[in-house]
Amino acid sequence: MQTVSSVEALRSQIRQWRQAGFSIAFVPTMGNLHDGHIQLVTQAKQQADKVVVSIFVNPTQFGPNEDFASYPRTEQQDQQRLVACDTDLLFLPSVETLYPSSSQTQISVTGLSSLHCGAHRPGHFDGVALIVCKLLNIVQPDLLLLGEKDFQQLAVIRTMVADLNMPVSIQGVATVRESDGLAMSSRNGYLSEQQRQIAPQLYQALISAREAILAGNPNFQAISDQQIQDLQQAGFSVDYFNICRSNDLAPAGDDDQDLVILVAARLGKTRLIDNVYFVR
Ligand code: PAF
């Protein structure tokens, strides 16, 4: 695996691959890689000749009181994992490389970014859209792979790519879970032993709500309220538990068939998100 940190070095390698006729898949990450990330790389390998992974803890997607400074940075371990799953190139840029002080441009996927996580993390999705747009312009891959755990992020990026006519296909990859159902996340490492025991209840709440809907309960508000109450009793502080249409993430109505339930909740200082999508 090659590791490069400058845009020029990355572009030069991409140019050589393009001249040789290779297709390129791209997996952007913030590092601290877990099996969910490795699944993205594995799927990428199956679909393209060359796989580029980036590790960049993106400052513009963190709020002023969020965990940018303490976000786990585990580069050596990450590099070993990427070598083991046959990554071709790792892009490891510095903050100064991606955000020179002259930068002025912003990107905002306005409607979608104000919902759900966006309502609790102002500016978060603008930061995500900006960095993913920049990385796509730098790598110019055929295929972009993103985890479905960040369901709203995936929707924001799909919308940006469509709205800006960016020439890339996007593939969402199913959430990888621990054996007790907890969605893998770099932030799981913040949980105390006791919080880690409680954390799988987030996924269980999603499953219970899905079962209630599939059993024919039409009262989505009551289903959400019940799950929020149960999660609070278990020790979570719930940001939202929303039953939505999966295409635009607006509140689901009686006639909607393709649904996603999105949840974000905190255990102590750790904010966890998860979702289930299904057809009824
Ligand atoms: O999902 C993530 O890890 C990040 O939000 C992403 C897409 C790499 C952008 O920084």
Side-chain angles (χ1 to χ4, degrees):
M1 181 179 76
Q2 274 187 72
T3 300
V4 300
S5 54
S6 76
V7 173
E8 294 70 28
L10 180 95
R11 285 205 164 128
S12 147
Q13 179 58 78
I14 299 277
R15 209 174 303 120
Q16 283 177 35
W17 284 340
R18 289 299 186 194
Q19 275 163 6
F22 292 141
S23 61
I24 297 170
F26 175 49
V27 178
T29 81
M30 298 207 300
N32 194 234
L33 303 179
H34 50 66
D35 288 356
H37 296 111
I38 302 306
Q39 181 63 22
L40 294 173
V41 178
T42 306
Q43 299 239 348
K45 282 298 290 182
Q46 288 164 11
Q47 289 171 80
D49 300 315
K50 299 290 175 188
V51 174
V52 177
V53 175
S54 63
I55 296 181
F56 179 66
V57 184
N58 172 36
T60 63
Q61 69 187 79
F62 289 81
N65 299 316
E66 294 187 349
D67 56 343
F68 174 68
S70 58
Y71 197 85
R73 287 154 170 94
T74 53
E75 263 161 37
Q76 286 202 343
Q77 224 172 286
D78 291 347
Q79 294 203 24
Q80 283 166 11
R81 293 208 72 174
L82 291 174
V83 168
C85 63
D86 223 6
T87 303
D88 296 285
L89 190 147
L90 169 61
F91 183 43
L92 205 58
S94 68
V95 173
E96 293 71 31
T97 296
L98 288 190
Y99 294 114
S101 55
S102 55
S103 312
Q104 301 178 38
T105 304
Q106 298 199 341
I107 295 193
S108 203
V109 181
T110 52
L112 262 179
S113 298
S114 63
L115 309 172
H116 316 298
C117 278
H120 294 266
R121 303 183 69 189
H124 168 68
F125 288 116
D126 293 354
V128 170
L130 180 60
I131 195 61
V132 174
C133 181
K134 285 169 69 72
L135 290 167
L136 287 174
N137 284 336
I138 293 167
V139 179
Q140 302 195 340
D142 302 289
L143 180 66
L144 169 70
L145 294 100
L146 293 163
E148 287 177 346
K149 198 205 79 169
D150 296 289
F151 200 90
Q152 187 177 5
Q153 167 172 283
L154 183 54
V156 166
I157 293 171
R158 279 190 197 284
T159 304
M160 174 186 75
V161 162
D163 289 354
L164 299 182
N165 304 94
M166 299 174 82
V168 64
S169 303
I170 300 182
Q171 189 183 318
V173 176
T175 303
V176 178
R177 298 181 180 281
E178 304 285 356
S179 55
D180 58 12
L182 177 65
M184 289 200 184
S185 161
S186 300
R187 292 194 169 95
N188 291 350
Y190 296 152
L191 297 169
S192 69
E193 218 168 286
Q194 196 202 352
Q195 290 168 338
R196 177 62 188 81
Q197 300 293 311
I198 299 168
Q201 292 188 43
L202 201 61
Y203 182 51
Q204 285 155 21
L206 291 169
I207 300 295
S208 302
R210 180 178 66 187
E211 275 171 10
I213 294 169
L214 292 177
N217 184 340
N219 192 339
F220 293 169
Q221 190 59 54
I223 294 171
S224 294
D225 290 347
Q226 181 64 55
Q227 295 308 327
I228 289 172
Q229 201 183 320
D230 290 354
L231 286 168
Q232 283 168 343
Q233 247 160 37
F236 288 90
S237 161
V238 180
D239 278 358
Y240 61 82
F241 190 102
N242 294 337
I243 300 171
C244 310
R245 307 199 287 235
S246 60
N247 62 340
D248 61 2
L249 309 189
D254 293 343
D255 297 332
D256 294 317
Q257 307 291 311
D258 291 310
L259 304 181
V260 59
I261 313 177
L262 302 169
V263 65
R266 293 163 204 273
L267 278 172
K269 286 196 176 129
T270 307
R271 187 171 187 275
L272 301 174
I273 62 171
D274 203 351
N275 67 80
V276 290
Y277 64 93
F278 57 103
V279 178
R280 66 165 169 160

